Amino acid sequence: MAEKRYRAMFISDVHLGARGSQTRLLLDFLRYNDADVIYLVGDIIDGWQLRRGWHWPQSHNDVVQKLLRKVRKGSQIIYLPGNHDEFLRDYFGTHFGGIEVMDETIYTSADGKRFLVIHGDAFDVVVMHARWLAHLGDWAYDAAIYLNRWFNLIRRKMGLTYWSLSAWAKLKVKRAVNFIGAFEEALASEARRQKVDGVICGHIHHAAIHDQFGIRYMNCGDWVESCSALVETYDGRFEIVRWTEVLPETAPAEDHDAEPELVLPLPDGRKVAA
């Protein structure tokens, strides 16, 4: 499978440090896809999970190494922290291995349209005003992801492809659907307030592109459930790439090339070599 290169690539909600993170699929995606500029749209590292218990296998480290390698090969990478990696918000304006950390930014597409790029947690009422409830919901979500791993293990043994039980359940619950709609509308309103043509965000693990609220709304998705990314082609078209639907026939390859050590700060005071 030949590598595809895009004008821009937007990845969010990888949740490195969480057991549900689909790092091997992400590594495979990064192996076959590249871009002039890559936006990491928040929750790339899961500080909430790392506070509860340390989990950082080699594949999680490999993701960081792969991104650093893309920087050295000429890609620009911009990191916009979310609520799970909010500890990085203390480092706005700094660089880690060439990766720039920012709060939010404006991206100009090939056809000159301007898009607000932001994680989106600031527009989640639960996260902002009831953090205890957000953490409780995070625990319940982890339980669903745990069940999802066993569910997909059975599917693989049956010769079936990956399917997200948790994403399916979320879209069947009326309150969850209403929450998604309210979140999307709030982000569209913020884009309108900032006088831009649209918004690119993450946070809710629901990839989408639409103009339902009179302005372009685009969500990157995640690498826990949908394994998706948002890309812009050189002719200005935005697309959602759902990697489980376009997986190459080759199995995901391990990538252990030697890298110069980069130390990332973590929320509990420890540091991890990337």
Side-chain angles (χ1 to χ4, degrees):
M1 184 177 185
E3 180 186 82
K4 289 187 177 180
R5 189 169 185 90
Y6 299 98
R7 189 171 186 269
M9 197 155 65
F10 303 83
I11 298 169
S12 74
D13 297 273
V14 178
H15 291 274
L16 297 175
R19 296 183 185 278
S21 181
Q22 301 283 350
T23 50
R24 294 187 184 279
L25 288 173
L26 176 57
L27 283 166
D28 201 47
F29 171 80
L30 293 173
R31 177 185 177 191
Y32 290 101
N33 297 273
D34 209 345
D36 297 345
V37 57
I38 301 171
Y39 290 86
L40 304 177
V41 194
D43 286 1
I44 304 302
I45 299 173
D46 196 324
W48 292 11
Q49 287 287 342
L50 291 171
R51 286 192 190 99
R52 289 203 287 263
W54 187 257
H55 178 74
W56 196 271
Q58 183 61 45
S59 63
H60 292 218
N61 217 46
D62 289 344
V63 169
V64 179
Q65 291 179 356
K66 176 67 80 174
L67 291 170
L68 291 173
R69 189 173 303 117
K70 287 185 179 296
V71 172
R72 291 202 308 280
K73 289 183 176 179
S75 294
Q76 179 187 8
I77 298 186
I78 298 172
Y79 194 139
L80 303 103
N83 51 306
H84 283 257
D85 47 15
E86 61 190 351
F87 58 92
L88 285 173
R89 287 174 172 164
D90 293 333
Y91 298 91
F92 288 151
T94 62
H95 293 74
F96 293 103
I99 299 176
E100 184 177 4
V101 182
M102 303 175 66
D103 182 22
E104 61 181 61
T105 190
I106 302 296
Y107 174 71
T108 303
S109 64
D111 59 4
K113 291 184 178 179
R114 300 168 66 245
F115 295 89
L116 171 66
V117 187
I118 187 171
H119 180 65
D121 60 294
F123 299 88
D124 182 339
V125 174
V126 173
V127 169
M128 295 305 296
H129 301 293
R131 289 183 65 86
W132 67 271
L133 186 58
H135 281 274
L136 179 61
D138 189 56
W139 177 86
Y141 181 73
D142 290 342
I145 293 300
Y146 176 79
L147 292 174
N148 197 62
R149 288 207 303 274
W150 286 103
F151 176 77
N152 275 287
L153 178 62
I154 295 170
R155 283 181 63 86
R156 282 199 301 274
K157 289 185 176 181
M158 294 173 64
L160 301 173
T161 57
Y162 177 86
W163 184 71
S164 178
L165 173 64
S166 52
W168 174 84
K170 181 164 57 178
L171 292 177
K172 292 296 181 181
V173 178
K174 184 177 180 180
R175 287 187 178 181
V177 173
N178 290 342
F179 167 77
I180 290 171
F183 176 83
E184 293 177 346
E185 186 172 12
L187 266 294
S189 296
E190 177 62 15
R192 192 176 294 108
R193 187 187 71 80
Q194 294 203 27
K195 295 180 170 57
V196 293
D197 298 292
V199 61
I200 298 170
C201 61
H203 185 58
I204 60 171
H205 296 204
H206 182 64
I209 300 177
H210 63 71
D211 303 290
Q212 184 177 338
F213 302 106
I215 199 165
R216 177 55 58 95
Y217 169 90
M218 295 185 281
N219 193 300
C220 320
D222 67 285
W223 288 87
V224 178
E225 297 176 29
S226 63
C227 298
S228 61
L230 177 72
V231 298
E232 185 200 11
T233 61
Y234 284 101
D235 60 2
R237 288 181 296 107
F238 283 93
E239 303 172 353
I240 294 172
V241 178
R242 300 180 188 275
W243 193 239
T244 55
E245 297 177 6
V246 294
L247 273 173
E249 292 182 1
T250 53
E254 294 289 347
D255 198 346
H256 299 300
D257 293 355
E259 294 291 336
E261 184 174 277
L262 171 70
V263 176
L264 295 175
L266 292 173
D268 60 0
R270 284 184 287 181
K271 296 183 178 180
V272 60

